[in-house]
C-alpha cells in the first residue's frame, strides 16, 4: 500500500512562487505514475501535472503549462510541484496522486490520494 503526504501549501501573492512536496511510502512507490490535482471551492477536481512511473515524461494541464513543473526524487521518495507566476485562479486544495499508468492518472483514475494541501493566491 502506498501512502502520500503533501506539504508546502500556504498563502502567496499573485505572481509569487510556491513549491509543493509529496512524500511517498510503500514498496511499490517507484512503479507508479504520479500526478498532482487540485480542487477549488465549488468546482470539480482537475488534473494539473503528471510524471510517468520512470520519470521520463511529464504532462501538464493547459492552464499551468509554462508555470508549473513536476519532478521526482526517487532517492527521497518525493514528488514536487514547483509553481511559478501564481494566479488567484490557482487557489485550491492540491492533491498528490499515484496510479498504475500515466493515462489513467491524467484522467483521475488513481489508486492512491494524498490528504491535500491548501494553496491560496491573493490578488
Amino acid at each position: 500500500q502506498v501512502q502520500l503526504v503533501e506539504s508546502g501549501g500556504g498563502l502567496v501573492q499573485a505572481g509569487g512562487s510556491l513549491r509543493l512536496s509529496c512524500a511517498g511510502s510503500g514498496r511499490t512507490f517507484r512503479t507508479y505514475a504520479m500526478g498532482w490535482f487540485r480542487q477549488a471551492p465549488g468546482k470539480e477536481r482537475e488534473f494539473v501535472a503528471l510524471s510517468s512511473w520512470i520519470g521520463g515524461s511529464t504532462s501538464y494541464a493547459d492552464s499551468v503549462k509554462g508555470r508549473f513543473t513536476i519532478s521526482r526524487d526517487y532517492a527521497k521518495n518525493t514528488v514536487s510541484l514547483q509553481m511559478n507566476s501564481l494566479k488567484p485562479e490557482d487557489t485550491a486544495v492540491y492533491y498528490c496522486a499515484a496510479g498504475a499508468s500515466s493515462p489513467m492518472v491524467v484522467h483521475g483514475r488513481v489508486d492512491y490520494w494524498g490528504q491535500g494541501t491548501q494553496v491560496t493566491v491573493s490578488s
Side-chain angles (χ1 to χ4, degrees), residues 22-68:
C22 174
S25 64
R27 302 179 70 84
T28 60
F29 175 81
R30 294 180 61 181
T31 69
Y32 285 91
M34 303 296 298
W36 286 94
F37 291 76
R38 66 187 183 186
Q39 186 167 21
K43 300 181 65 177
E44 296 183 354
R45 184 183 297 117
E46 65 175 341
F47 166 77
V48 175
L50 167 83
S51 176
S52 67
W53 70 271
I54 197 173
S57 64
T58 58
S59 182
Y60 300 91
D62 289 340
S63 60
V64 306
K65 285 182 179 178
R67 300 189 297 121
F68 290 11

Side-chain angles (χ1 to χ4, degrees), residues 14 22 100 113 116 119 122:
C22 174
W113 293 98
V119 172
S122 62

